[in-house]
Amino acid sequence: PAAEMAALVSAERGLSKAETRPGPDNEKIGKDGVSVSRSFDLDFICRRGYRWSGRFVSHILTIGERKRSGLLRVRLLGGESPANVDPQTTAIAEMQSWLQLSIDEAPAWAQNLDSILDVHVLQAIYEEVAAHEGRFWGAGSPGSGRGHGTGSD
């Protein structure tokens, strides 16, 4: 009970400090004006020395897309709970399910993420998308350093 009260008081303080901009009018604007969509150029060199580069456009997932991402992840895991699957497979399914819904444009080589052999390539793309997500919600993430954003954020 004391912890619950502290959480309520903390939430109330946050509300009293909130800006008075109307939420519905600003739904597509993130913290500090970060856009809901972002284009970035990936330039990643894998451990084998090959360059993976190209322009991507991604967006912040809606609530509906987040649900579909979760369901897709379960499907990619063969219906298993992540607790019953090895961590690498779970991480790959998480990245794939998120990217499949958040990427709007990608180079030809990234059209089918299942066909890529190197999981680090998938991870490099995911880190860029996740960094944008963090900035949108106010985490202030500077990005992965593997690509550079050219969007409005």
Side-chain angles (χ1 to χ4, degrees):
E4 289 175 20
M5 284 301 291
L8 287 174
V9 169
S10 177
E12 248 179 60
R13 284 189 189 134
L15 287 175
S16 67
K17 294 178 185 177
E19 294 184 31
T20 57
R21 297 183 303 181
D25 293 344
N26 293 287
E27 177 68 1
K28 304 275 185 196
I29 302 169
K31 179 80 171 165
D32 298 326
V34 174
S35 175
V36 72
S37 64
R38 173 183 185 241
S39 64
F40 63 94
D41 294 312
L42 184 78
D43 188 21
F44 177 76
I45 299 174
C46 71
R47 294 185 295 185
R48 296 172 294 157
Y50 301 127
R51 172 169 268 140
W52 298 80
S53 62
R55 166 74 43 120
F56 290 80
V57 177
S58 66
H59 69 275
I60 303 300
L61 296 183
T62 64
I63 291 172
E65 289 170 324
R66 287 173 185 263
K67 290 187 300 187
R68 286 197 304 276
S69 175
L71 293 172
L72 177 57
R73 182 187 58 175
V74 169
R75 194 176 84 218
L76 290 171
L77 293 174
E80 291 290 330
S81 164
N84 297 332
V85 180
D86 69 276
Q88 182 179 18
T89 301
T90 300
I92 291 169
E94 173 67 28
M95 290 186 286
Q96 266 191 293
S97 64
W98 199 269
L99 292 174
Q100 187 168 327
L101 294 169
S102 66
I103 292 180
D104 301 313
E105 296 176 28
W109 59 262
Q111 295 297 317
N112 179 2
L113 298 175
D114 265 342
S115 68
I116 298 172
L117 298 176
D118 190 341
V119 71
H120 295 99
V121 174
L122 182 70
Q123 185 175 4
I125 301 165
Y126 181 79
E127 286 176 357
E128 288 296 331
V129 171
H132 172 237
E133 180 97 12
R135 286 188 302 275
F136 184 86
W137 296 112
S141 171
S144 69
R146 292 193 173 125
H148 63 279
T150 56
S152 61
D153 66 331

